[in-house]
Amino acid sequence: MSRPFRLRAAALAVVAVLLPALLTGCGEDDRDEDLTEQQLSWEDCPAPAEAQGGGAAPSPLPGGRGKWSCATMKAPLDWDDPDGATIDLALIRARSSGSADRRIGSLIFNFGGPGLSGVHTLPAFGTQYATLRTRYDLVGFDPRGVGRSAPVLCLDDRRLDAYLQQDATPDDSAERTELMETTAEFNAACEKNSGRTLAHVRTADAARDLDLMRQVLGDDELHYFGVSYGTELGGVYAHLFPGKVGRAVFDAVVDPTQDAEQSSLGQARGFQLALGNYAEHCVSQTGPCPVGDSAQDVKDRIGRLLKDLDSRPIPGAFPRELTQTAATSGIAQALYSQELWDFLTDGLQEAYDGDGTILMLLSDALAGRDDEGGYSNIVAANVAVSCSDHRSRYTPADVERRLPRFRAASGLFGEYMAWGLVGCTDWAVPGAAEHPDVSAPGAAPILVIGNTGDPATPYEGARRMVEELGEGVGVELTYEGQGHGAYTSDNRCVRDAVHGYLLDGKVPAAGTVCS
């Protein structure tokens, strides 16, 4: 949710960051071989490329029992021309830790965004998924357009710095003109640098990649764990291949019935709810809350800070300043996980004293920026997939008419989310639909987990996903908690339900509530 792209459901990869030569794009050769019969060459994993998020090569698996291994899988650039040019998709795998006779198959993960690198993210959370490894090979991948998989490239790092710092909530005609001009420049750079790829990064394309991956990995059914936007990808897969759905879990669930405007409005409400939950938590502690005397005072002071930053930025991560835009996205980032609430408190304290470093680092994490100023390609990929998926295109006049509704949804995040709607206005590729089709009659049961305190994928989306999947497919489970996603909260009830289904095939009772 960092201007102007919308993390239609980012996962918590950045928590792992804050708490403890790009690969080829398109091949030009036609081919005779059947891609379902390709043999993957699994090797030791290199350090992640900058587009994946950078950093060191993944550590050995917990307990020293094996290493992560990486491979590339060929897929058609254009699924309407399956015998034409190919792209390479990056994969990572941890082999099952259990006995061969207990192994079920591969469990493929998508952590959301869209735009998060699964090759980078899965090892960061490897210990949290260790129980699932007793019966599955754990597999992550960079979806097309992401990381090492034919990445969408737009602005260079220096220009992206400036782009993400500019005013995302224009107050007058000059600021509106600047916003639209820089958005058009960003979109034009994407077309110039990634033109061949842009028409082929829709969620439906990635779903077809998933089915190819299933076959190449040797599984009769797709066993899948989708988080956030990964639930949308999983739903589209179930719609296209209902007979191939194996055991699947959707966590932090996207509402598949919403168009771009409805989704942004829902996120405005979701982040406002999460901010209120943070404020209540802060003032309920034994000691005084250092950023406000009451929950309302906490929210009021944050509102005044953002208003002041609109005209008077403060020093941030040198040499950059903390602008209103960066502070808003930094606050939003901290609301993705209760583990980050203490960082938010520290960041607000420092910002009130004129130091914006912590809030800027939180904003950087959301946008995929490292300490050296290098960016992953999450911003570019997020825009490319979102604009390719969603048909709606909005003008400044459209946004102006909608601002009252967004302000009513959230005094702090409403305008920010509303103006994000113009991000696709000049996009080179038409959007596919108003919202995804996830109807999957006849598919195996899918465990759908909604979190009552989720800011990015509000709780109501889980029920709508269940309804859209169809009778007998979606099985809803409610987690009464905070943050984006339930499984990594370590709630025993949630984990038992997920393990019971994925490991033993036991579907929990529909309507189960975990507190």
Side-chain angles (χ1 to χ4, degrees):
M1 189 195 130
S2 181
R3 186 261 174 247
F5 72 108
R6 296 178 301 109
L7 287 185
R8 277 196 266 165
L12 297 178
V14 292
V15 179
V17 175
L18 291 172
L19 295 176
L22 300 176
L23 230 79
T24 177
C26 306
E28 298 297 334
D29 56 316
D30 290 340
R31 52 200 160 67
D32 297 323
E33 74 271 20
D34 181 352
L35 289 179
T36 64
E37 297 179 357
Q38 63 185 295
Q39 299 295 311
L40 301 183
S41 178
W42 294 97
E43 300 176 347
D44 290 348
C45 294
E50 181 175 281
Q52 293 175 300
S59 302
L61 291 164
R65 299 178 62 183
K67 298 183 294 185
W68 295 95
S69 55
C70 288
T72 57
M73 182 189 80
K74 290 192 178 297
L77 167 65
D78 182 355
W79 273 103
D80 290 333
D81 181 19
D83 295 323
T86 63
I87 56 175
D88 287 341
L89 303 182
L91 280 66
I92 190 168
R93 181 178 71 179
R95 297 302 298 267
S96 172
S97 61
S99 59
D101 63 320
R102 294 273 295 162
R103 180 182 176 275
I104 295 171
S106 296
L107 181 64
I108 301 178
F109 290 79
N110 181 279
F111 294 95
L116 281 170
S117 162
V119 173
H120 185 274
T121 305
L122 182 56
F125 286 92
T127 56
Q128 299 205 42
Y129 296 105
T131 300
L132 300 177
R133 194 163 69 91
T134 59
R135 300 201 67 187
Y136 292 96
D137 297 342
L138 306 186
V139 178
F141 70 107
D142 291 355
R144 54 176 58 217
V146 177
R148 288 186 184 264
S149 297
V152 174
L153 304 175
C154 300
L155 299 177
D156 62 31
D157 293 338
R158 179 184 60 80
R159 293 172 66 196
L160 194 54
D161 264 347
Y163 180 66
L164 294 175
Q165 285 282 89
Q166 72 166 345
D167 194 337
T169 55
D171 302 312
D172 53 40
S173 60
E175 290 183 352
R176 285 192 292 275
T177 298
E178 181 183 6
L179 176 65
M180 297 309 296
E181 288 178 348
T182 55
T183 299
E185 290 170 2
F186 178 92
N187 293 350
C190 299
E191 184 178 11
K192 177 182 177 181
N193 295 323
S194 306
R196 278 181 57 84
T197 307
L198 294 188
H200 307 294
V201 295
R202 293 188 173 111
T203 298
D205 298 314
R208 291 181 170 89
D209 293 338
L210 272 178
D211 199 59
L212 175 62
M213 198 178 305
R214 171 191 66 79
Q215 296 173 75
V216 171
L217 292 170
D219 289 335
D220 294 330
E221 299 174 317
L222 178 75
H223 306 297
Y224 180 76
F225 200 128
V227 184
S228 203
Y229 160 79
T231 67
E232 181 177 327
L233 174 59
V236 172
Y237 178 90
H239 171 69
L240 294 175
F241 307 100
K244 297 300 182 182
V245 175
R247 300 178 187 177
V249 172
F250 293 177
D251 188 8
V253 185
V254 171
D255 186 339
T257 70
Q258 294 182 329
D259 61 20
E261 177 186 350
Q262 293 164 336
S263 176
S264 293
L265 192 61
Q267 282 197 329
R269 296 190 185 101
F271 279 99
Q272 188 67 35
L273 173 66
L275 183 69
N277 292 339
Y278 158 75
E280 293 284 357
H281 174 80
C282 189
V283 299
S284 68
Q285 301 306 295
T286 303
C289 174
V291 290
D293 297 328
S294 66
Q296 189 60 50
D297 186 42
V298 172
K299 292 184 286 186
D300 289 344
R301 290 191 69 191
I302 293 174
R304 290 194 296 271
L305 171 68
L306 295 178
K307 184 176 180 180
D308 290 344
L309 290 172
D310 190 25
S311 57
R312 293 187 298 276
I314 62 177
F318 183 81
R320 295 172 297 150
E321 292 183 319
L322 181 74
T323 63
Q324 181 191 57
T325 299
T328 304
S329 61
I331 292 167
Q333 171 56 59
L335 297 176
Y336 271 89
S337 170
Q338 191 166 355
E339 292 181 60
L340 296 179
W341 285 5
D342 287 344
F343 284 90
L344 177 56
T345 298
D346 293 343
L348 290 170
Q349 281 186 278
E350 290 193 0
Y352 295 148
D353 291 333
D355 181 355
T357 302
I358 292 177
L359 290 184
M360 177 156 277
L361 292 177
L362 286 164
S363 178
D364 287 348
L366 185 61
R369 188 185 193 275
D370 64 26
D371 293 340
E372 303 300 319
Y375 282 88
S376 75
N377 86 315
I378 188 173
V379 175
N382 183 277
V383 173
V385 176
S386 296
C387 294
S388 296
D389 276 351
H390 288 288
R391 182 178 296 161
S392 301
R393 300 292 185 255
Y394 299 90
T395 67
D398 294 329
V399 174
E400 293 279 5
R401 287 192 294 271
R402 290 161 171 79
L403 279 175
R405 291 183 65 204
F406 277 84
R407 289 175 180 137
S410 173
L412 290 179
F413 300 105
E415 290 193 26
Y416 182 87
M417 296 301 299
W419 282 106
L421 292 173
V422 301
C424 298
T425 299
D426 298 299
W427 196 249
V429 177
E434 291 300 325
H435 55 79
D437 190 344
V438 301
S439 59
I446 297 172
L447 180 58
V448 178
I449 307 172
N451 180 356
T452 58
D454 197 316
T457 51
Y459 170 66
E460 296 78 12
R463 172 61 55 84
R464 294 180 186 135
M465 176 66 82
V466 167
E467 292 170 349
E468 292 299 304
L469 287 169
E471 185 176 357
V473 179
V475 178
E476 185 177 10
L477 181 148
T478 295
Y479 169 52
E480 296 179 332
Q482 304 299 324
H484 186 47
Y487 182 83
T488 53
S489 70
D490 290 331
N491 179 272
R492 179 67 178 269
C493 171
V494 171
R495 294 177 77 86
D496 284 350
V498 171
H499 295 164
Y501 184 39
L502 290 180
L503 299 177
D504 300 318
K506 299 177 181 177
V507 182
T512 297
V513 177
C514 295
S515 301

